[in-house]
Amino acid sequence: MDLDAFVSVHRDEWDELERLVSRRSLSGADADRLVLLYQRAATHLSAVRSQAPDPALVGRLSSLVARARSRLTGAREPVWRDVVRFATVSFPAALWRIRWWTAAVTAAFLLVSVAAGAWVAGDPAVQATMGSDAEIRQLVESDFESYYSEQPATSFAAQVWTNNAWVAAQVIAFGVTGVWVVWVLALNALNVGTVGGLMAAHDRADVFFGLILPHGLLELTAVFVASAAGLRLFWSWVAPGPLSRAASLAAEGRALFTVAVGLVPVLAVSGLVEAFVTPSPLPTWARIAVGALALGAFLAYAGVLGRRAVAAGETGDVRREHAGDVTPTAG
């Protein structure tokens, strides 16, 4: 093969293919021309490799053919773009859509916790059913406080994070039943209220709130959000609106799955606060301020980005081209 003659004959085609690949949009005729030139360039590359393997020409043609192939088959967006979209659009949109469900769950949890705490704190007979005097004193004077510092902080943070993420995933995944979420919330509300009542009955309410609020503000909010997502999933098939129950459940399931994924870093932050801030020697007000700052940042994130995303028509669901088609049904 006369390489110089070969290049001279086909250079114009390669240059034209280069121009077509670089265009942002193509007409129908341009797309057809791109396919033809791509096929020819691939043939030219094969011929050069087998008969006159010039490194420079092989490199140019390999790059040109690869770019043309990507243009024809469609290149996937970089992963970082998906991550950015999830963090700035999908997750905040899902949070904003369930904000009233979250508020209702929060109010119900606090009502049960306060009622249980007041009942336990005000009735010695109820306290007596929870253990002997020695056991209760051990809890309020030592065990409750030492729980946050008896393990290495790093291991404790990982343990707390894993446990809370698992609870959040459960209430979302099994939220479709409607019962599991209520059970988990009621159990946790009673536990918090009971311990708080025992601490208050022994004049240790300041210790209780000083230890539970720094991390609990963000941690419990994340649990409330997950519970709200689970209940919204349950409601999607109870009252599906114009969609079939299967279609409604599928759409909400895709949208609200983002909540389970998005809460993982949120719970990681609350785990770090619980492991490093809650048991720290900082003044109580400073520890609570850290927790309030973390909660405020999360609420601002959900409010600002979530409102904007929902106003733009986002729901937290995957993009329409990835969601699949819905079979038409009679109204």
Side-chain angles (χ1 to χ4, degrees):
M1 173 189 287
D2 186 336
L3 193 60
D4 291 335
F6 186 82
V7 172
S8 178
V9 169
H10 298 294
R11 179 187 293 113
D12 290 342
E13 291 182 343
W14 300 338
D15 291 341
E16 184 182 359
L17 179 59
E18 182 85 35
R19 289 193 297 272
L20 289 173
V21 169
S22 301
R23 287 185 185 175
R24 294 182 61 86
S25 60
L26 297 172
S27 65
D30 288 339
D32 291 340
R33 182 65 176 168
L34 175 61
V35 172
L36 177 63
L37 292 176
Y38 160 70
Q39 293 172 336
R40 289 180 179 176
T43 301
H44 298 159
L45 175 61
S46 177
V48 169
R49 279 176 170 167
S50 61
Q51 300 179 40
D54 178 71
L57 184 57
V58 168
R60 183 195 174 189
L61 289 178
S62 296
S63 174
L64 184 58
V65 168
R67 291 173 58 203
R69 184 187 301 116
S70 296
R71 184 65 188 271
L72 290 170
T73 59
R76 176 172 170 77
E77 289 187 349
V79 173
W80 68 264
R81 290 187 181 176
D82 291 333
V83 173
V84 170
R85 184 180 190 279
F86 177 87
T88 60
V89 177
S90 302
F91 182 43
L95 293 176
W96 185 254
R97 287 182 58 237
I98 60 173
R99 64 192 184 283
W100 297 119
W101 290 81
T102 303
V105 167
T106 302
F109 185 95
L110 294 177
L111 180 63
V112 173
S113 294
V114 171
W119 182 42
V120 170
D123 193 338
V126 175
Q127 299 170 30
T129 65
M130 298 177 182
S132 64
D133 288 344
E135 290 172 336
I136 292 176
R137 284 194 172 279
Q138 177 73 17
L139 170 66
V140 301
E141 294 179 2
S142 175
D143 289 353
F144 182 76
E145 188 170 1
S146 64
Y147 166 76
Y148 296 100
S149 57
E150 61 188 4
Q151 299 183 46
T154 304
S155 299
F156 185 57
Q159 177 184 333
V160 168
W161 178 29
T162 303
N163 178 69
N164 290 334
W166 173 238
V167 171
Q170 282 187 74
V171 294
I172 294 176
F174 297 116
V176 68
T177 65
V179 177
W180 183 257
V181 177
V182 175
W183 169 254
V184 170
L185 283 173
L187 188 63
N188 280 276
L190 289 173
N191 285 340
V192 171
T194 298
V195 175
L198 289 175
M199 296 289 284
H202 291 78
D203 297 323
R204 301 272 288 174
D206 57 332
V207 176
F208 173 77
F209 287 110
L211 290 173
I212 201 170
L213 287 180
H215 65 276
L217 289 172
L218 183 59
E219 177 182 286
L220 288 175
T221 298
V223 172
F224 299 156
V225 168
S227 301
L231 291 175
R232 183 67 185 84
L233 195 60
F234 166 72
W235 194 250
S236 69
W237 68 264
V238 173
L243 299 177
S244 67
R245 282 185 166 80
S248 176
L249 184 60
E252 287 295 343
R254 291 192 305 267
L256 295 177
F257 177 75
T258 63
V259 174
V261 177
L263 286 178
V264 170
V266 176
L267 289 169
V269 173
S270 72
L272 291 173
V273 173
E274 185 169 359
F276 292 95
V277 177
T278 297
S280 74
L282 290 171
T284 299
W285 67 265
R287 289 185 279 115
I288 295 177
V290 172
L293 182 63
L295 175 61
F298 175 66
L299 295 178
Y301 162 80
V304 174
L305 295 183
R307 183 197 298 266
R308 181 187 306 164
V310 171
E314 296 289 343
T315 64
D317 198 354
V318 297
R319 293 180 180 177
R320 183 167 299 178
E321 62 267 24
H322 298 151
D325 297 323
V326 177
T327 303
T329 57

